[in-house]
Amino acid sequence: MKKVLILSGLAMTSLAYSQGILIVNNYSKYDFSGTLIAGSTSAANGCYPRVGNTDIVKIPADSHTGNGKELMYKDYQSQFTNSLYPTTTWEVYQNPLNHTVMSWDDPNLAPGGTISTTTQWYATKFSTSLLEFHANLALITPCNPNSMDTYTTPSGNEFAEIFTINGTTYLQLYSL
């Protein structure tokens, strides 16, 4: 009985730290071009591993859940066949000096595997069409205590934000 409780607890802990879903809603009039990043949010393990797309993801203007054109990644692997904006390869950093490029179907990126259960979507580096705006956004975590989770344009308008609700991370760009 004790072993069952321990295994159940470990399974629940793994699920609690799984990468979750990423949804990018681009309500703006600008095309989004950028990198989407997942990683460990625990300073205890040096904030690694970290995972990011190797090719720039492009999301057209006015692409969001309201019209069914949002970017949605449920995990590193299924996004390739289920997303409107698939990523073919991921750059995986195990530490600052050791990284590997992995194909979307690499077994190391499988749902329930070590990488997917120890990383969460938390950041983006992006620019918009015509280079109107560019920013780095990240959730504020022990690994990113001084991050910006919103981007405000020089004219004072909030343009982008990143946040998490019930394990789903949202990146939203707004019209000005």
Coordinates of all heavy atoms in Angstrom, one line a residue, residues 80-144:
F80 N 3.1 19.2 -33.9 CA 3.5 19.1 -35.3 C 2.4 18.7 -36.2 O 2.3 19.1 -37.3 CB 4.7 18.1 -35.4 CG 5.3 18.1 -36.8 CD1 6.1 19.1 -37.2 CD2 4.9 17.1 -37.7 CE1 6.6 19.2 -38.5 CE2 5.5 17.1 -39.0 CZ 6.3 18.2 -39.4
T81 N 1.5 17.8 -35.7 CA 0.4 17.3 -36.6 C -0.9 18.0 -36.2 O -1.8 18.0 -37.0 CB 0.2 15.8 -36.4 OG1 0.0 15.5 -35.0 CG2 1.4 15.0 -36.9
N82 N -1.0 18.7 -35.1 CA -2.3 19.3 -34.7 C -2.3 20.8 -34.7 O -3.4 21.4 -34.4 CB -2.7 18.8 -33.3 CG -2.9 17.3 -33.3 OD1 -3.4 16.7 -34.2 ND2 -2.6 16.6 -32.2
S83 N -1.2 21.5 -34.9 CA -1.2 22.9 -34.8 C -1.2 23.6 -36.2 O -0.6 23.0 -37.2 CB 0.1 23.4 -34.1 OG 0.2 24.8 -34.1
L84 N -1.8 24.7 -36.3 CA -1.7 25.5 -37.6 C -0.3 26.0 -37.8 O 0.1 26.4 -38.9 CB -2.7 26.7 -37.5 CG -4.1 26.3 -37.4 CD1 -5.0 27.6 -37.2 CD2 -4.6 25.6 -38.6
Y85 N 0.5 26.1 -36.8 CA 1.9 26.7 -36.9 C 2.9 25.7 -36.2 O 3.4 26.0 -35.2 CB 1.9 28.0 -36.2 CG 0.7 28.9 -36.5 CD1 -0.4 28.9 -35.6 CD2 0.6 29.5 -37.7 CE1 -1.5 29.7 -36.0 CE2 -0.5 30.3 -38.0 CZ -1.6 30.3 -37.2 OH -2.7 31.1 -37.5
P86 N 3.2 24.5 -36.9 CA 4.0 23.5 -36.3 C 5.5 23.9 -36.2 O 6.0 24.7 -37.1 CB 3.8 22.3 -37.2 CG 3.4 22.9 -38.5 CD 2.6 24.1 -38.2
T87 N 6.2 23.4 -35.3 CA 7.6 23.5 -35.1 C 8.2 22.1 -35.4 O 7.8 21.1 -34.9 CB 7.9 23.9 -33.6 OG1 7.4 25.2 -33.5 CG2 9.4 23.8 -33.4
T88 N 9.2 22.1 -36.3 CA 9.8 20.9 -36.7 C 11.0 20.4 -35.8 O 11.2 19.3 -35.7 CB 10.4 21.0 -38.2 OG1 11.3 22.1 -38.2 CG2 9.3 21.2 -39.2
T89 N 11.7 21.4 -35.2 CA 12.8 21.0 -34.3 C 12.8 21.9 -33.1 O 12.4 23.1 -33.1 CB 14.2 21.2 -35.0 OG1 14.3 22.5 -35.6 CG2 14.3 20.1 -36.1
W90 N 13.3 21.4 -32.0 CA 13.4 22.1 -30.7 C 14.8 22.1 -30.2 O 15.5 21.1 -30.4 CB 12.5 21.3 -29.7 CG 11.1 21.3 -30.0 CD1 10.4 20.3 -30.6 CD2 10.1 22.4 -29.7 NE1 9.1 20.7 -30.7 CE2 8.9 21.9 -30.2 CE3 10.2 23.6 -29.2 CZ2 7.7 22.7 -30.1 CZ3 9.1 24.4 -29.1 CH2 7.8 23.9 -29.5
E91 N 15.3 23.2 -29.7 CA 16.6 23.2 -29.1 C 16.4 23.0 -27.6 O 15.7 23.8 -26.9 CB 17.2 24.6 -29.4 CG 18.7 24.6 -29.0 CD 19.4 25.8 -29.7 OE1 18.8 26.8 -30.1 OE2 20.6 25.7 -29.8
V92 N 17.1 22.0 -27.1 CA 16.9 21.6 -25.7 C 18.2 21.9 -25.0 O 19.3 21.3 -25.3 CB 16.5 20.1 -25.6 CG1 16.4 19.7 -24.1 CG2 15.2 19.9 -26.3
Y93 N 18.2 22.7 -23.9 CA 19.3 23.0 -23.1 C 19.2 22.2 -21.8 O 18.2 22.5 -21.0 CB 19.4 24.5 -22.8 CG 19.9 25.3 -23.9 CD1 19.1 25.7 -24.9 CD2 21.3 25.7 -24.0 CE1 19.6 26.5 -26.0 CE2 21.8 26.4 -25.0 CZ 20.9 26.9 -26.0 OH 21.4 27.6 -27.1
Q94 N 20.1 21.4 -21.5 CA 20.1 20.7 -20.2 C 20.8 21.5 -19.1 O 20.6 21.3 -18.0 CB 20.8 19.3 -20.3 CG 20.0 18.3 -21.2 CD 18.7 18.0 -20.7 OE1 18.4 18.1 -19.5 NE2 17.8 17.6 -21.6
N95 N 21.7 22.4 -19.6 CA 22.4 23.3 -18.8 C 22.9 24.4 -19.7 O 22.8 24.3 -20.9 CB 23.5 22.7 -18.0 CG 24.6 22.0 -18.8 OD1 25.2 22.6 -19.7 ND2 24.8 20.7 -18.6
P96 N 23.6 25.5 -19.2 CA 24.0 26.6 -20.0 C 25.0 26.2 -21.1 O 25.1 26.9 -22.2 CB 24.6 27.6 -19.1 CG 24.2 27.2 -17.7 CD 23.8 25.8 -17.8
L97 N 25.7 25.1 -20.9 CA 26.8 24.7 -21.9 C 26.4 23.5 -22.7 O 27.2 23.2 -23.7 CB 28.1 24.4 -21.1 CG 28.6 25.6 -20.2 CD1 29.8 25.1 -19.4 CD2 28.9 26.8 -21.0
N98 N 25.3 22.9 -22.5 CA 25.0 21.6 -23.2 C 23.6 21.7 -23.8 O 22.6 21.8 -23.1 CB 25.0 20.5 -22.2 CG 24.7 19.1 -22.8 OD1 24.7 19.0 -24.0 ND2 24.5 18.1 -22.0
H99 N 23.6 21.8 -25.1 CA 22.3 21.8 -25.8 C 22.3 20.9 -27.0 O 23.3 20.5 -27.5 CB 21.9 23.2 -26.2 CG 22.6 23.7 -27.4 ND1 23.9 24.2 -27.3 CD2 22.3 23.8 -28.7 CE1 24.3 24.6 -28.5 NE2 23.3 24.3 -29.4
T100 N 21.1 20.4 -27.3 CA 20.9 19.5 -28.4 C 19.7 20.0 -29.2 O 18.7 20.4 -28.7 CB 20.6 18.1 -27.9 OG1 21.6 17.7 -27.0 CG2 20.4 17.1 -29.0
V101 N 19.7 19.8 -30.6 CA 18.6 20.1 -31.4 C 17.9 18.7 -31.6 O 18.5 17.8 -32.0 CB 19.0 20.7 -32.7 CG1 17.8 20.9 -33.7 CG2 19.6 22.1 -32.5
M102 N 16.6 18.7 -31.3 CA 15.8 17.5 -31.4 C 14.6 17.7 -32.4 O 14.0 18.7 -32.3 CB 15.2 17.1 -30.0 CG 16.3 16.7 -29.0 SD 15.5 16.2 -27.5 CE 16.9 16.0 -26.5
S103 N 14.4 16.7 -33.2 CA 13.2 16.7 -34.1 C 12.0 16.6 -33.2 O 12.0 16.0 -32.1 CB 13.3 15.5 -35.0 OG 12.2 15.4 -35.8
W104 N 10.9 17.1 -33.8 CA 9.6 17.1 -33.0 C 9.2 15.7 -32.6 O 8.5 15.5 -31.6 CB 8.5 17.7 -33.9 CG 8.2 16.9 -35.1 CD1 8.8 16.9 -36.3 CD2 7.2 15.8 -35.2 NE1 8.2 16.0 -37.2 CE2 7.3 15.3 -36.5 CE3 6.3 15.3 -34.3 CZ2 6.4 14.2 -36.9 CZ3 5.5 14.2 -34.7 CH2 5.5 13.7 -36.0
D105 N 9.6 14.6 -33.3 CA 9.2 13.3 -33.0 C 10.3 12.5 -32.1 O 10.1 11.3 -32.0 CB 8.8 12.5 -34.2 CG 10.0 12.4 -35.2 OD1 11.0 13.1 -35.0 OD2 9.8 11.7 -36.2
D106 N 11.2 13.2 -31.6 CA 12.3 12.6 -30.8 C 11.6 12.0 -29.5 O 10.8 12.7 -28.9 CB 13.3 13.6 -30.4 CG 14.5 13.0 -29.7 OD1 14.4 12.4 -28.7 OD2 15.6 13.2 -30.3
P107 N 11.9 10.8 -29.2 CA 11.3 10.1 -28.0 C 11.6 10.9 -26.7 O 10.8 10.8 -25.8 CB 12.0 8.7 -27.9 CG 12.6 8.5 -29.3 CD 12.8 9.8 -29.9
N108 N 12.7 11.7 -26.7 CA 13.0 12.5 -25.5 C 11.9 13.6 -25.2 O 11.9 14.1 -24.2 CB 14.4 13.1 -25.6 CG 15.4 12.0 -25.5 OD1 15.5 11.3 -24.5 ND2 16.3 11.9 -26.5
L109 N 11.2 13.9 -26.3 CA 10.2 15.0 -26.2 C 8.8 14.5 -26.0 O 7.8 15.2 -26.0 CB 10.2 15.9 -27.4 CG 11.5 16.7 -27.6 CD1 11.5 17.4 -29.0 CD2 11.7 17.7 -26.5
A110 N 8.6 13.2 -25.8 CA 7.3 12.5 -25.7 C 6.6 13.0 -24.5 O 7.1 13.3 -23.4 CB 7.5 11.0 -25.6
P111 N 5.2 13.1 -24.6 CA 4.4 13.5 -23.4 C 4.7 12.4 -22.3 O 4.8 11.2 -22.5 CB 3.0 13.3 -23.9 CG 3.1 13.5 -25.4 CD 4.4 12.9 -25.8
G112 N 4.8 12.9 -21.1 CA 5.1 12.1 -20.0 C 6.6 11.8 -19.8 O 7.0 11.2 -18.8
G113 N 7.4 12.2 -20.7 CA 8.9 12.0 -20.6 C 9.5 13.1 -19.7 O 8.8 14.0 -19.3
T114 N 10.8 12.9 -19.5 CA 11.5 13.8 -18.5 C 11.4 15.2 -19.0 O 11.2 16.1 -18.1 CB 12.9 13.3 -18.4 OG1 13.0 12.0 -18.0 CG2 13.7 14.2 -17.4
I115 N 11.6 15.5 -20.2 CA 11.6 16.9 -20.7 C 10.2 17.5 -20.6 O 10.1 18.6 -20.0 CB 12.2 17.0 -22.1 CG1 13.7 16.6 -22.1 CG2 12.0 18.5 -22.6 CD1 14.3 16.5 -23.4
S116 N 9.2 16.8 -21.0 CA 7.9 17.4 -21.0 C 7.3 17.5 -19.6 O 6.5 18.4 -19.3 CB 6.9 16.7 -21.9 OG 6.7 15.4 -21.4
T117 N 7.7 16.7 -18.7 CA 7.2 16.7 -17.3 C 8.0 17.7 -16.4 O 7.5 18.0 -15.3 CB 7.1 15.4 -16.6 OG1 8.4 14.8 -16.6 CG2 6.2 14.4 -17.3
T118 N 9.1 18.2 -16.9 CA 9.9 19.1 -16.0 C 10.0 20.5 -16.6 O 10.7 21.3 -16.1 CB 11.4 18.6 -15.8 OG1 12.0 18.4 -17.1 CG2 11.4 17.3 -15.1
T119 N 9.2 20.7 -17.7 CA 9.2 22.1 -18.3 C 7.8 22.6 -18.4 O 6.8 21.8 -18.4 CB 9.8 22.1 -19.7 OG1 9.1 21.2 -20.5 CG2 11.3 21.7 -19.7
Q120 N 7.7 23.9 -18.4 CA 6.4 24.6 -18.5 C 6.6 25.8 -19.5 O 7.7 26.4 -19.5 CB 5.9 25.2 -17.2 CG 5.6 24.1 -16.2 CD 5.2 24.8 -14.9 OE1 5.9 25.6 -14.3 NE2 4.0 24.4 -14.4
W121 N 5.6 26.1 -20.3 CA 5.7 27.3 -21.2 C 5.8 28.5 -20.3 O 5.0 28.7 -19.4 CB 4.5 27.4 -22.1 CG 4.3 26.2 -23.0 CD1 3.4 25.2 -22.9 CD2 5.1 25.9 -24.1 NE1 3.6 24.3 -23.9 CE2 4.6 24.7 -24.7 CE3 6.2 26.5 -24.7 CZ2 5.2 24.1 -25.8 CZ3 6.7 26.0 -25.8 CH2 6.2 24.8 -26.4
Y122 N 6.8 29.4 -20.6 CA 6.9 30.5 -19.7 C 7.4 31.8 -20.4 O 7.4 32.9 -19.8 CB 7.8 30.2 -18.5 CG 9.3 30.2 -18.9 CD1 10.1 31.3 -18.7 CD2 9.9 29.1 -19.4 CE1 11.4 31.4 -19.0 CE2 11.3 29.1 -19.7 CZ 12.0 30.2 -19.5 OH 13.4 30.2 -19.8
A123 N 7.9 31.7 -21.7 CA 8.5 32.9 -22.2 C 8.4 33.0 -23.8 O 8.1 32.0 -24.4 CB 10.0 33.0 -21.8
T124 N 8.6 34.2 -24.3 CA 8.7 34.4 -25.7 C 9.7 35.5 -26.0 O 9.9 36.4 -25.2 CB 7.3 34.7 -26.3 OG1 7.4 34.8 -27.7 CG2 6.8 36.0 -25.7
K125 N 10.3 35.4 -27.2 CA 11.1 36.5 -27.7 C 10.4 36.8 -29.1 O 10.4 35.8 -29.9 CB 12.5 36.2 -27.9 CG 13.2 35.9 -26.6 CD 14.7 35.5 -26.9 CE 15.3 35.2 -25.5 NZ 16.8 34.9 -25.7
F126 N 9.9 38.0 -29.3 CA 9.2 38.1 -30.6 C 9.3 39.5 -31.2 O 9.8 40.5 -30.5 CB 7.7 37.9 -30.4 CG 6.9 39.0 -29.6 CD1 6.3 40.0 -30.3 CD2 6.8 39.0 -28.2 CE1 5.7 41.0 -29.6 CE2 6.2 40.0 -27.5 CZ 5.6 41.0 -28.2
S127 N 9.0 39.6 -32.4 CA 8.9 40.9 -33.1 C 7.6 40.8 -33.9 O 7.0 39.8 -34.1 CB 10.1 41.2 -34.0 OG 10.2 40.2 -35.0
T128 N 7.1 42.0 -34.4 CA 5.9 42.0 -35.2 C 6.3 42.5 -36.6 O 7.4 43.0 -36.8 CB 4.9 43.0 -34.6 OG1 5.4 44.3 -34.5 CG2 4.4 42.5 -33.2
S129 N 5.4 42.3 -37.5 CA 5.6 42.7 -38.9 C 6.1 44.1 -39.0 O 5.7 45.0 -38.1 CB 4.3 42.5 -39.7 OG 3.2 43.1 -39.1
L130 N 6.9 44.4 -39.9 CA 7.5 45.7 -40.1 C 8.4 46.2 -38.9 O 8.7 47.3 -38.8 CB 6.4 46.8 -40.4 CG 5.5 46.4 -41.5 CD1 4.4 47.5 -41.6 CD2 6.2 46.3 -42.9
L131 N 8.7 45.2 -38.0 CA 9.5 45.5 -36.8 C 9.0 46.6 -36.0 O 9.7 47.4 -35.4 CB 11.0 45.7 -37.2 CG 11.7 44.5 -37.8 CD1 13.1 44.9 -38.2 CD2 11.7 43.3 -36.9
E132 N 7.7 46.7 -36.0 CA 7.0 47.8 -35.3 C 7.3 47.6 -33.8 O 7.6 48.6 -33.1 CB 5.5 47.7 -35.5 CG 4.7 48.9 -35.0 CD 4.8 50.1 -35.8 OE1 5.1 50.1 -37.0 OE2 4.7 51.2 -35.2
F133 N 7.2 46.4 -33.3 CA 7.4 46.1 -31.8 C 8.2 44.9 -31.7 O 8.1 43.9 -32.5 CB 6.1 45.9 -31.1 CG 5.1 47.1 -31.3 CD1 4.0 46.9 -32.0 CD2 5.4 48.3 -30.7 CE1 3.1 48.0 -32.1 CE2 4.5 49.4 -30.8 CZ 3.4 49.2 -31.6
H134 N 9.1 44.8 -30.7 CA 9.8 43.6 -30.3 C 10.0 43.6 -28.8 O 10.1 44.6 -28.2 CB 11.1 43.4 -31.1 CG 12.0 44.5 -30.9 ND1 12.0 45.7 -31.6 CD2 13.1 44.7 -30.0 CE1 12.9 46.5 -31.2 NE2 13.6 45.9 -30.3
A135 N 9.9 42.3 -28.3 CA 9.9 42.3 -26.8 C 10.3 40.9 -26.4 O 10.2 39.9 -27.1 CB 8.6 42.6 -26.2
N136 N 10.8 40.7 -25.2 CA 11.0 39.5 -24.5 C 10.0 39.5 -23.3 O 10.1 40.4 -22.5 CB 12.4 39.4 -24.0 CG 13.4 39.4 -25.1 OD1 13.1 39.1 -26.2 ND2 14.7 39.7 -24.7
L137 N 9.1 38.5 -23.3 CA 8.2 38.4 -22.1 C 8.4 37.0 -21.4 O 8.7 36.0 -22.1 CB 6.8 38.4 -22.7 CG 6.3 39.7 -23.3 CD1 4.8 39.5 -23.8 CD2 6.4 40.9 -22.3
A138 N 8.2 37.0 -20.1 CA 8.3 35.8 -19.4 C 7.5 35.9 -18.1 O 7.3 36.9 -17.6 CB 9.8 35.5 -19.0
L139 N 7.0 34.7 -17.8 CA 6.2 34.6 -16.5 C 7.2 34.9 -15.4 O 8.4 34.5 -15.5 CB 5.6 33.3 -16.3 CG 4.6 32.9 -17.3 CD1 4.2 31.4 -17.1 CD2 3.3 33.7 -17.1
I140 N 6.8 35.6 -14.3 CA 7.6 35.8 -13.2 C 7.7 34.6 -12.3 O 6.6 34.1 -11.8 CB 7.1 37.1 -12.4 CG1 7.2 38.3 -13.4 CG2 7.9 37.3 -11.1 CD1 6.5 39.5 -12.8
T141 N 8.9 34.0 -12.2 CA 9.1 32.8 -11.5 C 10.4 32.9 -10.7 O 11.1 33.9 -10.9 CB 9.2 31.5 -12.4 OG1 10.4 31.7 -13.1 CG2 8.0 31.4 -13.4
P142 N 10.7 31.9 -9.8 CA 12.0 32.0 -9.1 C 13.2 32.1 -10.1 O 14.2 32.6 -9.8 CB 12.0 30.7 -8.3 CG 10.6 30.4 -8.0 CD 9.9 30.8 -9.3
C143 N 13.0 31.5 -11.3 CA 14.0 31.6 -12.3 C 14.0 32.9 -13.1 O 15.0 33.2 -13.8 CB 13.9 30.4 -13.3 SG 14.1 28.8 -12.5
N144 N 12.9 33.6 -13.1 CA 12.8 34.9 -13.8 C 12.2 35.9 -12.9 O 11.1 36.5 -13.2 CB 11.9 34.7 -15.0 CG 12.3 33.5 -15.9 OD1 13.4 33.6 -16.4 ND2 11.5 32.5 -16.0

